[in-house]
Amino acid sequence: MKLRTWLAIVAIGLFVGKVMLVSQVSYNSYFEQKSLRVDFALSGDAHQQHAALQQLREEPVWGGPVKNLIDPFEYGGYLVKLYDRSTRTLLYSRGFNTLFEEWRTTDGAQHETQSWTNSIVLPFPKQPVIFELLAREYADNQFYSLWQMEIDPASIFIDKSPLKRLKKDSLQYRGDPAGKIDLVFLSEGYTAAEMDKFNADARRFTEALFQTEPFSAYRNNFNVWAVDLASEESGVDRSGEGIFRNTALNAGFYTFGLDRYMTTPDMKSIRDAVWDVPCDAIFILVNSPVYGGGGMYNFYAIGTADNERTIHVFVHEFGHSFAGLADEYFNADVAYDNFYNLETEPWEPNITTLVNFESKWKDMLPADTPIPTPVDANEPRKLGVFEGGGYVSKGIYRPMNHCTMRSNPPFCPVCQHAIVRMIDYLSDR
């Protein structure tokens, strides 16, 4: 029997057009202008999982929103919540994805147990709080309580030691981080002698992002930073080809055996690098010409700097990590087994099983749109309900035949709408 959360407090959120209506608390009443970092382990296999604390850290900067503290989306495979200990008031929530949840859907998770380190950053509470981690269950696509603990901000066991301060460059500054979205480019596989190249690459990527709709219309909502994290060697691991490099973040291709899938499981090193930087979104820029990348919602996105399709990969993976967009392709090899339950509605905003299509883009379609929608080569930008997406050809549907999240840019109107909603949530325009 699954244990449902004992904290019967619900945050109610809805969107009307681009305006978000949600019950929020006052940031200054409950939080300091700094961060509480929670490093924790997720362990288990395909059938069960557990969570355990590794460390708590106090860090000097809070880069997240101060007006919108309660997450109205509840995207992701996990959801973190903070409650005031004395009143049980919900103070903060945010969804996210991890590599561990992806690993649990692979063949290997059927017969072995693993433990993966994760790290999340929360606003630092003024008074004792209850921390709760919820995990989404495949069977019904709902969140269930996985782990709870009390956190006293005055505890002597919260690490307050300073970490190494890395050089950081402001590539674009549009205002107070409390009201802006702070995008951080973090270098991987660049040696100390290659930092000029990293900064040039980060500036090139910045301009590419803001030439892409809908980001181009919201450029003033973003601050952009480049953090110089030097590696001992250039490049990145390509384990399937016997290539290994000594790099700062331990990134590599062949995640779950896929040659193009590049990630790093080393969340502690990522967080150590940005500990004193305002940070809403992280893109790990890898010094390599090889095609590939990856992205996890509200964790990080990663891609290489010098492939001919570099910019497309960057924007695609940023769509995952920033806005929770799903892959819309269905004809490529992946390592996942039964990643989506076709009897439930997926949480991602740009795919549907039609179980609850009313919650997706149904209201954006002309009334006479056939469902499913046949592909019409004469109308490549037609909005509809096209079968195929989320790695499977049957039972999952995408909004447009081609979109940045399947193959070619631009983002379709449904993906653009989801991105704008996230921009509105994270920034104070």
Side-chain angles (χ1 to χ4, degrees), residues 168-183:
K168 54 182 179 287
D169 294 297
S170 175
L171 306 187
Q172 170 174 302
Y173 189 80
R174 293 294 191 264
D176 185 347
K180 300 299 179 181
I181 299 166
D182 289 274
L183 167 59

Side-chain angles (χ1 to χ4, degrees), residues 257-290:
L258 295 176
D259 59 351
R260 70 182 185 281
Y261 194 12
M262 179 176 57
T263 64
T264 173
D266 192 354
M267 288 305 302
K268 280 189 175 181
S269 292
I270 295 172
R271 286 297 175 186
D272 284 351
V274 299
W275 73 287
D276 62 344
V277 185
C279 183
D280 290 293
I282 297 172
F283 190 84
I284 301 170
L285 189 51
V286 176
N287 188 21
S288 170
V290 180

Side-chain angles (χ1 to χ4, degrees), residues 328-385:
E328 295 179 11
Y329 55 79
F330 50 91
N331 54 359
D333 291 335
V334 294
Y336 316 126
D337 294 324
N338 301 319
F339 197 76
Y340 292 100
N341 182 350
L342 299 185
E343 296 181 358
T344 65
E345 187 66 32
W347 58 263
E348 293 94 335
N350 62 319
I351 58 173
T352 181
T353 55
L354 299 179
V355 171
N356 184 17
F357 186 41
E358 288 74 14
S359 67
K360 296 302 176 67
W361 62 93
K362 186 175 182 179
D363 62 347
M364 297 175 66
L365 298 177
D368 60 350
T369 302
I371 300 175
T373 308
V375 173
D376 186 346
N378 295 319
E379 295 185 272
R381 300 297 298 166
K382 179 179 181 179
L383 191 63
V385 187

Side-chain angles (χ1 to χ4, degrees), residues 140-162:
D140 60 5
N141 207 30
Q142 300 299 309
F143 284 113
Y144 296 93
S145 185
L146 181 65
W147 172 38
Q148 294 176 8
M149 66 176 174
E150 291 189 6
I151 300 176
D152 184 346
S155 171
I156 63 171
F157 299 109
I158 297 178
D159 186 358
K160 300 181 181 181
S161 58

Side-chain angles (χ1 to χ4, degrees), residues 68-90:
N68 299 320
L69 299 175
I70 312 300
D71 185 347
F73 306 106
E74 295 195 348
Y75 292 165
Y78 297 91
L79 181 68
V80 62
K81 295 184 175 183
L82 286 182
Y83 298 90
D84 181 78
R85 190 180 67 180
S86 60
T87 66
R88 298 300 194 263
T89 301
L90 178 61

